[in-house]
Amino acid sequence: MPDPDMFNEITAIYPGSFDPATLGHLDIIERASRLFPRVLISLSEGSNSKQFAFSVQERLEMLDRIVAPFDNVTATSFSGLLTRYARQEGSMVLIRGLRAISDFEYEFQMASMNKYLANEIETIFMMTSPRYHYLSSSIVKEIARLKGDIAGLVPPELRDDIEAKFK
Ligand code: PNS
């Protein structure tokens, strides 16, 4: 039987690329902050093969701004394996948002690989709120590039930076 006090100490990590963070990410951050005593929003410094529009510094600075209202949430970045970083931080919970069935295969593979690498770490999936099911960082960048209105898609404090990037 686990010690019930351990639940007061859990650090959850919500990892991602956040290129840039959207209202869908913010929704997960807000809900995770109510479930866990300490939450790290952890930006991967880019071990995957994606091309990013925003630098690590820009993305981290934007994350800092959107987590500022949450006392128990901190923005961090990490390089290398997520599971190694989670162990360093003493975290046994990874959070990922799931929008649609199309996300599942990639997420299932990642969660399974992370489980293989660190069996004690659990991935917990949170369903994205229905109003954000269609939202992704890629689609936000495309709309911004084509000078569409991104006001209802990204946290208000990031809007100017995102529009400026695609001027
Ligand atoms: O927002 P994303 O791009 O879907 O996030 C993917 C991310 C950053 C969580 C993933 O690529 C990752 O964990 N990268 C760190 C390197 C790592 O641990 N890779 C093995 C995971 S299977």
Side-chain angles (χ1 to χ4, degrees):
M1 182 72 174
D3 173 0
D5 282 346
M6 72 180 271
F7 295 107
N8 298 327
E9 289 162 21
I10 288 178
T11 295
I13 294 183
Y14 177 32
S17 303
F18 305 108
D19 186 50
T22 68
L23 283 177
H25 292 121
L26 185 57
D27 170 57
I28 300 282
I29 292 170
E30 198 270 326
R31 288 158 57 203
S33 78
R34 285 190 267 123
L35 287 176
F36 297 98
R38 180 173 176 245
V39 182
L40 302 181
I41 312 305
S42 301
L43 171 66
S44 166
E45 288 181 12
S47 58
N48 60 22
S49 51
K50 286 185 196 167
Q51 291 291 317
F52 298 109
F54 295 87
S55 69
V56 169
Q57 288 74 11
E58 287 171 325
R59 285 180 280 153
L60 194 54
E61 195 275 318
M62 288 194 280
L63 285 178
D64 270 338
R65 256 186 279 159
I66 66 170
V67 306
F70 305 96
D71 287 344
N72 60 336
V73 182
T74 309
T76 67
S77 66
F78 69 98
S79 56
L81 282 179
L82 173 59
T83 44
R84 189 175 303 133
Y85 176 68
R87 279 179 170 159
Q88 270 167 25
E89 290 295 329
S91 169
M92 36 184 286
V93 175
L94 303 176
I95 298 171
R96 293 287 289 172
L98 269 186
R99 285 163 303 192
I101 294 172
S102 52
D103 282 344
F104 183 77
E105 202 166 313
Y106 169 62
E107 294 296 336
F108 182 70
Q109 184 184 31
M110 203 156 63
S112 306
M113 183 50 72
N114 285 334
K115 192 80 186 150
Y116 167 78
L117 292 168
N119 188 48
E120 79 282 11
I121 296 176
E122 295 294 339
T123 300
I124 292 184
F125 294 102
M126 296 178 68
M127 296 301 298
T128 303
S129 295
R131 64 187 183 283
Y132 301 128
H133 273 177
Y134 59 92
L135 196 50
S136 69
S137 298
S138 310
I139 207 132
V140 164
K141 284 180 282 190
E142 174 155 349
I143 304 296
R145 218 172 262 128
L146 300 173
K147 311 287 177 273
D149 182 6
I150 59 166
L153 311 180
V154 298
E157 57 272 57
L158 304 191
R159 186 180 163 187
D160 288 350
D161 297 64
I162 298 167
E163 287 177 347
K165 176 67 73 180
F166 296 102
K167 246 204 198 124

